[in-house]
């Protein structure tokens, strides 16, 4: 094998069995050297008369975690995967995959060309390619349906979710689970089979695909699943077309050929690049560039939550689900009881929907303990405060927490937008104070903005980022600046939506345009959900004038239209339903308000709606980047995809702008600046990058950053 090839395969012999061990740390992807090594050693074992069977396994904790993503879209060295897999499939001697850990994507496809499959009880198998905008292109779409049936294969490939060893055994992917030493058990298994004149090949198992032939049910069901869970994505349709070929083609190789064609189409599709950007972007976001990798982490074995409302309850569930015991404190018995009741109801709903067993529910709910006494929080490792959004109240609570908890406890606030430094300043441990901005519902939404105060210590930041990972969040660091990352960007987006309404568009047109762009919910549906009255009431209390942009929503509030909460806002809602119905009675109001403010309503194209709302995000994103509030442009993409319903297949707003070309972005903004010069002034960083025909990348170095906005300068609401 040549040296330039990446990864290798170790060859050893145990009696009459050859053992091929994939060795490409840390997770054994199928890099060039692995493919070459497998081909070479299958050949070697086949040409050695003393060898009667072959074991294929992985070094370390993975079997084979998948293809080598770094090779995608590039020319690569060594044999291609399909030819290596063919060598294994047509080996003269029986091959067993001894699955010692994760067998994902190309890893499972490798196992599927073996005659037999055995796993440890820690084995995990799956075909997650769809998450990268791809399909399993090394025979997975043809072989998995033959093994588990097309319906289950489609569910696995469309969700990308892996199966545990136990489920893999019952579904027929594994032939056996090893109870002791995997290699010893695999040898014993092979010895039993050596004498057989023929060994099973998945490609020949046609029974399950033939059963599905002639009926459209399986495919119709899969299309419905894809439409529901992967709206706008290209790969799912391709996966379904591959399985259709597996069902209908008589010749296995004809199905394989179709799979290759459909795979190539996915590879060339821009969605693939966008989704791989997000895959790597999420990993990049978890790193804090100026904090040393070896920063010691505090262990978080217990937590406290103050405030058991919407957010506190969700955060408590999140921690308990990860096995962390949580004490939940509220201001009085009544609120605490209500909060605990909601948590229990949410868990019960999961049981009723089959997402969790009764036993699991009891276990996790049992980890959540209500309390009214701060003394009980004395020994927890972290407290997350989630009371009403009021600085004085939060400062009071931080003072109390500072005095009752031990000095090491991290004090976190779930504030949507208050100054974390103002909270840190009332404590004697500013290094241990941090923002943890969860999104609603906190037990479901993946985004967690970790807000770094000026004094938050490296250890605190690293610990909270690691906790974020443990509880399954996409954690992104934001500097402590108004609106943090997400809500600050959102402000420009909703501003444009409201202006479009004043200029002549209707809420349904704006929502439909943005939803067909891929946003999971249009801005007016979102405003109805959050409540139109929050800003209106706040302005009334403070005796502030209504800015032009809010004139329509204020007028709706004057007429008792607050949004979903009272079944009428921009839309009408029928009792108990969240489905928006048109509200033609509002149209007169829109016209009146436009007229009163001397705005000539006009026909507005869907493209203008999309451009104005999305480029509003992008320009604000550029400012956030040049101030260093976000560490990198990819972090903003992670924020928007996981917290604000931006379509993953577009790679997030900043990636979208890169793909559009920043010069094009500026060109469009220049056209809009005729409507609003101030808003559409390009951020200096955006202008600079466009002038250099460059793209958004890392944030500028600290000494080149633009000045941060202060909390006093900005008046930013948010969710
Ligand atoms: N709701 C959202 O969508 C959302 C999203 C992100 C962040 N946030 C932020 O999270 C925080 C909580 O918001 P929420 O929506 O959960 O509010 P909520 O009104 O649902 O719950 C607040 C809870 O805090 C309790 N509380 C009030 N004063 C207290 C005190 N002195 N001691 C102990 N408990 C007290 C209340 O009894 C209530 O249970 C706010 O800072 C909010 O800005 C909210």
């Amino acid at each position: 094998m040549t040296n330039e090839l990446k990864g290798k395969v170790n060859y050893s012999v145990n009696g009459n069995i050859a053992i091929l061990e994939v060795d490409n740390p840390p997770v054994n992807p199928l890099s060039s050297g692995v493919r070459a090594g497998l081909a070479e050693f299958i050949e070697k074992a086949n040409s050695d008369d003393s060898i009667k069977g072959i074991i294929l396994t992985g070094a370390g904790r993975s079997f084979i975690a998948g293809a080598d993503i770094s090779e995608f879209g590039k020319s690569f060295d060594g044999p291609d995967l399909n030819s290596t897999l063919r060598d294994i499939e047509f080996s003269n001697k029986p091959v067993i995959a001894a699955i010692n850990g994760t067998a994902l994507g190309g890893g499972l496809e490798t196992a599927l060309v073996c005659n037999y499959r055995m796993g440890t009880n820690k084995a995990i198998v799956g075909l997650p390619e769809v998450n990268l905008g791809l399909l399993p292109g090394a025979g997975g779409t043809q072989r998995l349906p033959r093994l588990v049936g097309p319906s289950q294969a489609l569910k696995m490939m469309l969700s990308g979710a892996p199966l545990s060893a136990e489920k893999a055994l019952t579904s027929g992917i594994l032939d056996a689970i090893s109870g002791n030493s995997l290699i010893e058990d695999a040898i014993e298994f092979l010895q039993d089979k050596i004498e057989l004149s023929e060994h099973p090949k998945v490609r020949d198992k046609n029974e399950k695909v033939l059963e599905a032939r002639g009926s459209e049910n399986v495919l119709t069901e899969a299309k419905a699943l894809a439409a529901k869970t992967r709206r706008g994505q290209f790969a799912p349709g391709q996966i379904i077309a591959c399985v259709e070929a597996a069902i209908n083609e008589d010749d296995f190789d004809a199905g394989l050929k179709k799979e290759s064609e459909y795979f190539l189409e996915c590879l060339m599709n821009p969605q693939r690049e966008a989704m791989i950007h997000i895959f790597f972007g999420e990993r990049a976001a978890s790193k804090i560039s100026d904090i040393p990798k070896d920063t010691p982490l505090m262990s978080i074995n217990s937590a406290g939550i103050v405030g058991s409302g919407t957010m506190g309850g969700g955060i408590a569930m999140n921690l308990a689900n990860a096995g962390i015991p949580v004490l939940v404190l509220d201001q009085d018995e009544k609120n605490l009881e209500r909060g605990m009741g909601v948590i229990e109801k949410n868990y019960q709903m999961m049981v009723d929907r089959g997402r969790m067993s009764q036993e699991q529910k009891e276990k996790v709910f049992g980890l959540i303990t209500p309390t009214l006494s701060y003394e009980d929080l004395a020994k927890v490792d972290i407290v997350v405060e989630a009371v009403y959004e009021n600085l004085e109240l939060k400062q009071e609570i931080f003072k109390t927490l500072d005095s009752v908890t031990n000095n090491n406890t991290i004090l976190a606030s779930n504030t949507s937008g208050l100054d974390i430094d103002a909270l840190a300043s009332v404590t004697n441990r500013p290094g241990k104070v941090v923002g943890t901005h969860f999104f609603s519902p906190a037990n479901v939404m993946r985004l967690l903005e970790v807000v770094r105060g000026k004094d938050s210590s490296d250890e605190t930041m690293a610990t909270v980022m690691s906790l974020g990972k443990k509880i399954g969040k996409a954690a992104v660091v934001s500097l402590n600046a108004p609106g943090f990352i997400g809500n600050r960007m959102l402000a420009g987006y909703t501003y444009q939506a409201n202006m479009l309404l004043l200029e002549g568009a209707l809420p349904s047109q704006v929502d439909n345009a943005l939803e067909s762009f891929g946003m999971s919910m249009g801005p007016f549906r979102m405003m109805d959900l959050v409540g139109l009255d929050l800003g209106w009431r706040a302005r009334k209390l403070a005796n502030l004038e209504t800015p032009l942009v809010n004139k329509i929503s204020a007028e709706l509030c004057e007429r008792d239209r607050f949004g979903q909460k009272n079944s009428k806002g921009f839309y009408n809602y029928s009792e108990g339903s969240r489905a928006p119905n048109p509200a033609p009675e509002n149209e007169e109001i829109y016209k009146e308000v436009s007229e009163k403010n001397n705005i000539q309503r006009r026909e507005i194209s869907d493209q203008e709606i999309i451009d104005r709302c999305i480029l509003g995000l992008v320009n604000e994103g550029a400012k956030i980047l040049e101030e260093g509030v976000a560490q990198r442009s990819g972090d903003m993409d992670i924020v928007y995809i996981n917290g604000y319903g931006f379509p993953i297949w577009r790679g997030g707003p900043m990636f979208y702008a890169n793909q559009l070309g920043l010069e094009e972005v500026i060109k469009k903004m220049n056209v809009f600046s005729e409507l609003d010069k101030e808003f559409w002034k390009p951020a200096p960083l955006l202008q600079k990058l466009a002038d250099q025909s460059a793209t958004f990348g890392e944030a500028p170095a600290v000494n080149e950053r633009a000045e941060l906005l202060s909390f006093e300068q900005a008046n930013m609401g948010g969710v």
Side-chain angles (χ1 to χ4, degrees):
M1 230 181 301
T2 49
N3 285 337
E4 314 93 64
L5 298 185
K6 210 173 125 209
K8 63 177 168 113
V9 175
N10 304 319
Y11 186 84
S12 62
V13 172
N14 186 324
N16 57 357
I17 303 292
I19 302 174
L20 277 57
E21 185 191 56
V22 175
D23 187 358
N24 190 15
V27 290
N28 301 331
L30 287 157
S31 314
S32 50
V34 172
R35 299 192 301 271
L38 286 173
E40 178 186 339
F41 292 132
I42 283 285
E43 157 86 46
K44 180 173 168 153
N46 271 302
S47 50
D48 181 342
D49 287 343
S50 67
I51 298 296
K52 301 292 179 215
I54 301 168
I55 293 177
L56 204 166
T57 192
R61 285 196 299 182
S62 254
F63 173 67
I64 297 171
D68 185 342
I69 299 174
S70 64
E71 287 181 357
F72 285 174
K74 298 185 192 144
S75 66
F76 52 78
D77 301 316
D80 74 63
L81 182 57
N82 280 317
S83 86
T84 300
L85 295 191
R86 212 175 161 79
D87 293 344
I88 301 173
E89 189 169 39
F90 288 96
S91 158
N92 297 328
K93 320 224 165 133
V95 185
I96 183 167
I99 303 178
N100 53 309
T102 28
L104 296 178
L108 177 57
E109 290 177 298
T110 305
L112 293 179
V113 295
C114 298
N115 303 100
Y116 307 104
R117 283 155 297 280
M118 175 184 279
T120 62
N121 55 15
K122 294 226 170 73
I124 287 175
V125 303
L127 294 174
E129 286 83 347
V130 71
N131 293 328
L132 301 179
L134 287 169
L135 57 83
T141 67
Q142 304 302 299
R143 291 191 183 89
L144 192 62
R146 285 176 158 76
L147 214 47
V148 305
S151 174
Q152 199 192 336
L154 277 162
K155 278 187 197 125
M156 278 179 73
M157 292 189 282
L158 292 174
S159 71
L163 296 188
S164 64
E166 207 179 304
K167 288 215 170 108
L169 181 71
T170 48
S171 65
I173 297 174
L174 293 182
D175 298 297
I177 291 184
S178 156
N180 307 299
S181 154
L182 176 63
I183 298 299
E184 275 172 33
D185 286 351
I187 292 175
E188 203 180 312
F189 186 97
L190 269 185
Q191 297 297 1
D192 273 355
K193 309 281 181 192
I194 280 171
E195 295 309 319
L196 297 178
S197 58
E198 257 197 82
H199 299 280
K201 284 190 179 38
V202 178
R203 63 156 54 218
D204 299 328
K205 293 182 191 255
N206 289 326
E207 205 177 297
K208 290 189 169 145
V209 283
L210 287 177
E211 255 171 41
R213 199 177 273 187
S215 148
E216 279 293 303
N217 285 355
V218 172
L219 299 175
T220 312
E221 213 176 81
K223 283 175 195 159
L225 179 68
K228 190 165 157 221
T229 58
R230 297 202 172 262
R231 189 164 67 90
Q233 295 184 26
F234 179 70
Q238 302 286 98
I239 290 173
I240 296 169
C242 287
V243 174
E244 189 170 359
I247 293 172
N248 293 328
E249 292 285 350
D250 285 320
D251 175 14
F252 180 84
D253 289 306
L256 269 190
K257 191 159 164 279
K258 284 211 165 144
E259 180 193 83
S260 292
E261 287 164 18
Y262 297 149
F263 177 78
L264 211 63
E265 287 171 11
C266 288
L267 203 61
M268 309 304 278
N269 192 291
Q271 291 195 6
R272 188 261 313 166
E273 206 185 329
M275 290 175 80
I276 288 183
H277 161 72
I278 292 305
F279 178 82
F280 285 119
E282 197 171 317
R283 277 150 192 78
S286 68
K287 303 191 175 72
I288 311 177
S289 43
D290 61 337
I291 291 187
K293 262 201 194 130
D294 54 2
T295 301
L297 298 180
M298 280 174 59
S299 45
I300 302 287
N301 299 317
S302 59
I305 308 278
V306 181
S308 65
T310 312
M311 297 307 291
I315 300 166
M317 288 174 76
N318 221 238
L319 292 162
N321 294 348
I324 301 172
V326 195
L327 281 155
V328 175
L329 181 145
D330 211 305
Q331 55 184 333
D332 52 39
E333 193 76 54
K334 193 172 125 237
N335 276 292
L336 190 59
E337 241 173 57
R338 180 197 35 79
M340 289 299 289
V342 173
I343 296 176
E344 149 121 76
K345 210 175 84 202
N346 284 338
Y347 275 133
Q348 190 54 44
M349 214 147 68
M350 290 168 78
V351 174
D352 296 344
R353 291 184 183 167
R355 298 216 193 112
M356 143 179 294
S357 66
Q358 186 65 31
E359 199 187 346
Q360 277 167 322
K361 175 198 150 183
E362 272 152 32
K363 195 167 148 208
V364 283
F365 188 57
L367 287 173
I368 304 178
T369 312
T371 178
L372 288 170
S373 156
Y374 275 94
E375 304 304 320
D376 289 346
L377 302 183
K379 288 198 182 120
V380 297
D381 298 317
I382 186 170
V383 180
V384 182
E385 164 279 311
V387 302
Y388 309 135
E389 187 78 340
N390 175 309
L391 185 63
E392 289 76 38
L393 172 64
K394 286 186 196 271
Q395 281 179 323
E396 256 331 290
I397 287 174
F398 267 67
K399 266 191 222 160
T400 311
L401 288 172
D402 192 40
S403 68
V404 297
T405 58
N406 74 45
N407 295 337
N408 274 328
T409 304
I410 292 179
L411 303 183
S413 173
N414 188 53
T415 175
S416 317
L418 297 174
D419 181 358
I420 295 299
D421 293 336
L423 297 178
S425 70
V426 301
T427 72
N428 292 312
R429 62 179 92 185
K432 298 263 174 207
V433 175
V434 65
T436 48
H437 185 205
F438 287 81
F439 286 68
S440 180
N443 53 319
V444 177
M445 296 292 281
R446 286 197 68 231
L447 180 60
L448 172 63
E449 282 183 327
V450 178
V451 184
R452 186 178 189 175
K454 71 177 169 30
D455 296 316
S456 307
S457 73
D458 288 2
E459 187 193 54
T460 302
M461 290 304 295
T463 301
V464 173
M465 290 302 279
S466 139
L467 175 66
K469 187 168 176 202
K470 183 170 178 190
I471 61 178
K473 296 296 181 203
V476 172
V477 178
S478 167
L479 281 193
N480 178 39
F484 310 140
I485 296 175
N487 282 338
R488 174 160 164 200
M489 286 166 80
L490 184 72
Y493 172 88
T494 43
Y495 177 87
Q496 284 303 320
N498 280 317
M499 288 310 292
L500 285 158
L501 182 58
L502 273 166
E503 290 168 35
L506 291 177
S508 57
Q509 190 199 353
V510 175
D511 285 349
N512 291 345
L514 286 158
E515 284 169 19
S516 61
F517 172 84
M519 298 300 293
S520 60
M521 187 186 278
F524 291 102
R525 279 179 60 200
M526 192 181 72
M527 289 183 242
D528 266 359
L529 180 69
V530 174
L532 308 185
D533 55 326
L534 302 182
W536 174 71
R537 283 185 210 282
R539 278 192 302 273
K540 281 209 156 176
L541 266 177
N543 247 336
L544 292 174
E545 266 202 39
T546 307
L548 176 64
V549 65
N550 299 117
K551 295 257 188 216
I552 288 183
S553 60
E555 194 54 43
L556 294 180
C557 290
E558 294 293 346
R559 299 176 195 214
D560 267 359
R561 301 188 69 99
F562 300 145
Q564 275 193 24
K565 62 176 75 165
N566 70 343
S567 302
K568 44 189 203 262
F570 288 109
Y571 296 95
N572 290 331
Y573 300 85
S574 28
E575 185 80 22
S577 160
R578 289 173 180 270
N581 301 311
E585 63 269 43
N586 284 352
E587 290 178 25
E588 236 4 84
I589 305 176
Y590 306 152
K591 279 189 199 139
E592 267 169 34
V593 178
S594 299
E595 201 176 312
K596 235 193 224 162
N597 292 283
N598 298 321
I599 297 175
Q600 180 79 38
R601 292 181 72 81
R602 64 185 168 96
E603 185 108 348
I604 297 178
S605 73
D606 287 358
Q607 191 60 49
E608 181 177 338
I609 292 171
I610 293 168
D611 284 343
R612 281 174 57 180
C613 291
I614 303 297
L615 299 187
L617 287 178
V618 171
N619 198 37
E620 198 61 41
K623 293 179 196 162
I624 288 174
L625 192 61
E626 68 189 344
E627 290 163 18
V629 171
Q631 297 189 85
R632 33 187 108 70
S633 68
D635 286 11
M636 288 181 273
D637 293 330
I638 301 302
V639 165
Y640 258 73
I641 283 168
N642 292 291
Y644 296 84
F646 198 93
I648 186 170
W649 49 271
R650 290 195 190 270
M654 307 310 278
F655 182 85
Y656 171 76
N658 282 344
Q659 283 208 325
L660 203 61
L662 301 188
E663 286 154 295
E664 180 64 20
V665 169
I666 294 270
K667 221 156 85 194
K668 285 178 184 264
M669 286 173 61
N670 285 342
V671 174
F672 300 142
S673 78
E674 312 231 321
L675 299 167
D676 186 341
K677 265 208 167 41
E678 195 47 42
F679 186 95
W680 291 110
K681 199 155 65 184
L685 177 68
L686 171 59
Q687 185 70 61
K688 188 171 113 190
L689 293 171
D691 291 345
Q692 299 166 346
S693 301
T695 54
F696 290 120
E698 300 284 302
V702 176
N703 55 5
E704 289 170 12
R705 283 181 191 166
E707 211 175 302
L708 281 189
L709 270 182
S710 75
F711 280 83
E712 289 74 36
Q713 278 169 309
N715 176 16
M716 205 162 294
V719 281

